[in-house]
Amino acid sequence: MNFQIRDAITANMTNNSADDIRNVVEDALNRGEEHLLPGLGVFFEKLWVNADEQEKSKITGELAQAFTG
């Protein structure tokens, strides 16, 4: 992932409310445009880096369930 994307997303999202962030995520998902996926990856990276081990286990468990066919 390009560091410019990380920097741009971080700058654009700094100090936004939880509702603002939710709206950005839902808008990106509703659009379904693949060029928005790297930005969502930055969101996930921030979540992961700030998560403790219990939160990481929960996240990976939920992802495993989501990808269960």
Side-chain angles (χ1 to χ4, degrees):
M1 191 178 311
N2 189 329
F3 283 98
Q4 292 176 344
I5 293 172
R6 283 187 180 109
D7 293 343
I9 296 295
T10 299
N12 287 336
M13 299 309 300
T14 297
N15 297 322
N16 281 347
S17 70
D19 286 339
D20 293 336
I21 294 169
R22 182 181 183 125
N23 289 336
V24 169
V25 170
E26 288 180 350
D27 180 59
L29 294 175
N30 288 335
R31 287 178 175 201
E33 298 173 12
E34 289 196 16
H35 72 274
L36 299 173
L37 292 176
L40 293 174
V42 174
F43 280 60
F44 181 79
E45 179 182 51
K46 294 283 188 187
L47 178 67
W48 188 261
V49 167
N50 291 299
D52 62 25
E53 286 306 313
Q54 184 177 3
E55 292 168 323
K56 287 178 180 178
S57 291
K58 183 178 182 205
I59 291 167
T60 54
E62 289 178 10
L63 286 170
Q65 186 175 8
F67 285 106
T68 300

